[in-house]
């Protein structure tokens, strides 16, 4: 498998398809071309959705073990192709190769998980007041699913949508982001190799404004599942309203990290650095706001800045591997630069980093160093806008209560982190934080068995876990009178 145009195809109606139009993909580490992606247009989206619609009845009717066998075969194919797909992912997205390898393996994990979860989705029988009346509740797949993903974890995000949808008995049409179509389309061969019936899985690539919009508006799409920016999510909600589609939205984050005076400090620093700068901060649950209690503020800040400043930055495929690769393109880098400049101009202090990296090893690519700010006030853009880059803001607070109040004041509610050794602070903090996930003394996440939900303007619905599968099922009450 390689990245050249001859081996990357869309998947429509069971066929690997090329197109007249093509979409050049650039390596964010160098600015050099990586390859071209076929480019769908609205008519091909329509063909893909119709193929998915035509395939739906038979796919939904398959006995669960027969259906999940396709998912298991696909997972095995992915495990056999980890290395080439991971290299493609690093080439188009920029992240260190070991992280890409982990992400490809996570695709297989998600398909295996939902293959084993599907048999455990049960209906119910409800007792009635009549000896001749029976009430049964069935859970049935909702139909064609449109899946639209962003570029930061293109494969992981896609798998979290496709695996549960397919396991539930839905058919899918998926669209990756323009920056990262190649790794997603590399999976097309795997769906064919696993023998999925024609039309059950369709992969189309192209701009959100045309291809994504056509998919979102298509009347035969019954459930739209989307991961990306909050603004786009709101647009899709309006579009989906026309045909009352079911919606799953995983949107913007920008997480708070609260460090109590009794926190395990070394761990808070190490984990905080990892969560603020991993994937160049291009994580929905990236640490953006650090609230640290005054008693440990100086020590925490000094250690955090030292750790941030000594991170190794470079190409994701370099040896030895860097801690952090480039950002995924000019627009992402410019957004981060603008937010940092806005804060600096208004009086914030840049403790490390703060501007684009230049020099022979960075020329052509989009590198922004780990950056730490203090002195940020509520009127600066970075206090309310998601940075989605390697920037952390440290704010000293007088208490954990104040930190929680500040963390709850914004519009996002995806993931919050709290470091403390006090059981009461941890328990009450977890209950009070208005977030879909609260991590106490750890920054782990992205594990398939556990639910992932965005509160407030960070999303709608739940991904992962059993909830991620039941999201694609409709409830049907069957009421049978036997006494006729
Ligand atoms: P966008 O919202 O710009 O794009 C995401 C996807 O939507 C892309 O495939 C894009 O197409 C497509 N799209 C854009 N406009 C439309 C439209 N009008 N109709 C249909 N599809 C459209 O993503 P961002 O670049 O803003 O992604 C980063 C955001 O994603 C951050 O806010 C981050 O927090 C969030 N995110 C959330 C996660 C979560 O689980 N909650 C996980 C990861 C990221 P194209 O780009 O190809 O034009």
């Amino acid at each position: 498998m390689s990245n050249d145009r001859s081996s990357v195809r869309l998947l429509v109606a069971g066929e690997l398809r090329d197109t007249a139009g093509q979409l050049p993909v650039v390596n964010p580490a160098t600015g050099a071309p990586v390859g071209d992606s076929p480019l769908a247009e609205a008519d091909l989206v329509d063909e893909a959705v119709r193929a998915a619609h035509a395939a739906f009845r038979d796919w939904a009717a398959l006995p669960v073990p027969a259906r999940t066998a396709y998912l298991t075969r696909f997972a095995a194919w992915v495990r056999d192709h980890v290395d080439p797909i991971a290299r493609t992912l690093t080439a188009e997205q920029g992240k260190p190769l070991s992280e890409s390898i982990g992400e490809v393996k996570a695709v297989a994990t998600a398909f295996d998980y939902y293959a084993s979860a599907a048999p455990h989705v049960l209906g119910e029988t409800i007792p009635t007041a009549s000896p001749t009346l029976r009430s049964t509740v069935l859970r049935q797949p909702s139909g064609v699913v449109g899946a639209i993903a962003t570029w930061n974890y293109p494969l992981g995000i896609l798998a979290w949508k496709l695996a549960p949808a397919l396991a539930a008995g839905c058919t899918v049409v998926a669209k990756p982001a323009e920056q990262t179509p190649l790794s997603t389309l590399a999976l097309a061969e795997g769906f064919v190799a696993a023998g999925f019936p024609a039309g059950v899985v369709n992969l189309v690539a192209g701009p959100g404004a045309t291809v994504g919009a056509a998919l979102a508006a298509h009347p035969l799409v019954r459930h739209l599942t989307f991961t990306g920016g909050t603004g786009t999510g709101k647009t899709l909600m309006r579009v989906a309203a026309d045909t009352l589609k079911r919606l799953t939205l995983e949107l913007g984050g920008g997480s708070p990290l609260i460090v109590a005076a009794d926190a395990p400090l070394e761990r808070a620093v190490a984990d905080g650095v990892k969560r603020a700068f991993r994937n160049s901060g291009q994580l929905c649950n990236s640490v953006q706001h650090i609230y640290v209690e005054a008693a440990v503020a100086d020590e925490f800040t000094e250690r955090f800045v030292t750790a941030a400043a000594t991170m190794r930055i470079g190409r994701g495929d370099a040896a030895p591997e860097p801690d952090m690769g480039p950002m995924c393109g000019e627009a992402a880098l410019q957004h981060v630069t603008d937010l940092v400049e806005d804060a600096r101009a208004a009086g914030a202090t840049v403790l490390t980093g703060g501007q684009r990296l230049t020099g022979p090893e960075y020329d052509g690519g989009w590198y922004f160093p780990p950056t730490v700010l203090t002195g940020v006030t509520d009127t600066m853009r970075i206090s309310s806008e998601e940075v989605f880059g390697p920037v952390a803001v440290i704010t000293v607070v007088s208490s954990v209560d104040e930190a929680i109040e500040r963390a709850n004041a914004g519009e996002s509610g995806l993931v919050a982190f709290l470091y403390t050794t006090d059981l009461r602070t941890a328990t009450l903090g977890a209950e009070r934080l208005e977030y879909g996930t609260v991590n106490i003394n750890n920054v782990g996440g992205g594990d398939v068995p556990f639910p992932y939900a965005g509160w407030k303007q960070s999303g709608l619905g739940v991904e992962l876990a059993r909830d991620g599968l039941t999201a694609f099922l409709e409830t049907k009450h069957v009421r049978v009178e036997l006494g006729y």
Side-chain angles (χ1 to χ4, degrees):
M1 187 182 304
S2 66
N3 298 334
D4 62 280
R5 184 164 158 69
S6 62
S7 67
V8 179
R9 299 278 193 273
L10 308 182
L11 178 59
V12 176
E15 294 169 3
L16 295 170
R17 301 270 188 98
D18 212 337
T19 57
Q22 46 182 293
L23 181 72
V25 179
V26 168
N27 187 332
T30 60
V34 178
D36 296 324
S37 159
L39 189 57
E41 293 188 12
D43 58 347
L44 197 58
V45 175
D46 181 59
E47 187 183 342
V49 174
R50 288 182 188 285
H53 187 251
F56 172 65
R57 188 186 298 195
D58 286 349
W59 180 248
L62 268 185
V64 169
R67 197 193 299 146
T68 55
Y70 291 96
L71 277 78
T72 306
R73 278 201 295 277
F74 177 71
W77 182 91
V78 170
R79 286 203 174 88
D80 286 345
H81 294 80
V82 169
D83 193 61
I85 300 173
R87 287 186 183 282
T88 300
L89 177 54
T90 285
E92 66 180 356
Q93 203 278 340
K95 66 184 65 175
L97 187 58
S98 64
E99 295 204 19
S100 291
I101 288 171
E103 188 172 338
V104 180
K105 288 180 178 171
V107 174
T109 303
F111 274 78
D112 275 341
Y113 174 85
Y114 283 108
S116 21
H120 301 288
V121 174
L122 308 175
E124 339 168 35
T125 302
I126 302 175
T128 70
S130 158
T132 60
L133 190 63
R134 300 289 182 274
S135 259
T136 309
V137 179
L138 306 180
R139 314 274 180 213
Q140 294 186 312
S142 43
V144 177
V145 172
I148 300 176
T150 189
W151 43 262
N152 64 336
Y153 284 88
L155 297 180
I157 287 169
L158 194 81
W160 292 0
K161 301 179 183 311
L162 264 54
L166 292 167
C170 293
T171 54
V172 294
V173 180
K175 184 199 101 63
E178 283 179 90
Q179 294 93 326
T180 55
L182 301 178
S183 52
T184 296
L185 296 181
L187 300 178
E189 283 178 29
F191 288 115
V192 173
F196 278 90
V200 169
V201 187
N202 302 269
L203 302 175
V204 294
T210 53
V211 173
L215 183 57
H218 203 293
L220 292 178
V221 171
R222 295 288 351 131
H223 187 135
L224 193 59
T225 171
F226 168 77
T227 296
T230 299
T232 313
K234 290 179 184 178
T235 301
L236 293 180
M237 201 167 174
R238 290 186 196 102
V239 171
D242 283 342
T243 47
L244 218 69
K245 294 185 197 328
R246 278 68 184 129
L247 271 180
T248 306
L249 301 176
E250 292 291 352
L251 309 176
S255 291
L257 163 65
I258 298 172
V259 183
D262 59 13
L265 214 58
E266 199 175 328
R267 184 166 186 143
V269 170
D271 287 0
V273 164
K274 187 169 148 195
R275 215 15 136 207
F277 306 123
R278 184 174 177 203
N279 200 16
S280 289
Q282 300 166 125
L283 264 83
C284 48
N285 56 354
S286 191
V287 164
Q288 178 170 338
H289 300 284
I290 302 176
Y291 302 110
V292 53
E293 271 198 281
V296 290
D298 286 348
E299 189 183 352
F300 176 88
T301 304
E302 191 189 326
R303 288 208 218 172
F304 191 88
V305 169
T306 302
T310 50
M311 287 182 77
R312 290 168 300 114
I313 302 150
R315 291 180 58 137
D317 59 0
E321 194 172 273
D323 299 314
M324 209 178 93
M327 299 204 63
C328 190
E330 178 72 33
L333 186 136
Q334 193 56 51
H335 174 68
V336 173
T337 305
D338 289 349
L339 289 187
V340 171
E341 282 315 311
D342 173 80
R344 196 197 314 249
T349 304
V350 178
L351 297 178
T352 185
Q355 56 193 357
R356 178 183 193 151
L357 291 171
T358 53
E361 68 272 47
Y362 304 123
D363 282 352
W366 292 281
Y367 294 91
F368 202 92
T371 295
V372 183
L373 304 182
T374 56
V376 165
T377 59
D378 291 347
T379 53
M380 297 176 192
R381 287 178 57 196
I382 202 163
S383 70
S384 56
E385 288 183 39
E386 182 186 21
V387 67
F388 213 56
V391 183
V393 174
I394 298 182
T395 303
V396 182
V397 290
S398 58
S399 66
V400 171
D401 279 351
E402 183 195 343
I404 292 174
E405 208 166 298
R406 281 174 172 270
N408 284 344
E411 287 308 327
S412 66
L414 196 60
V415 179
F417 306 98
L418 170 58
Y419 280 67
T420 176
T421 48
D422 182 76
L423 185 59
R424 194 165 170 275
T425 305
T427 306
L428 297 180
E431 288 170 4
R432 281 184 54 206
L433 282 160
E434 296 165 359
Y435 287 78
T437 301
V438 177
N439 285 37
I440 306 290
N441 296 331
N442 76 92
V443 288
D447 299 325
V448 199
F450 311 105
Y452 197 52
W455 284 26
K456 300 202 274 191
Q457 294 195 25
S458 287
L460 198 68
V462 181
E463 278 198 330
L464 301 182
R466 192 165 173 269
D467 306 31
L469 195 157
T470 52
F472 294 109
L473 298 170
E474 299 281 6
T475 297
K476 181 185 281 178
H477 176 208
V478 181
R479 188 180 162 91
V480 181
E481 175 57 63
L482 303 173
Y484 51 83

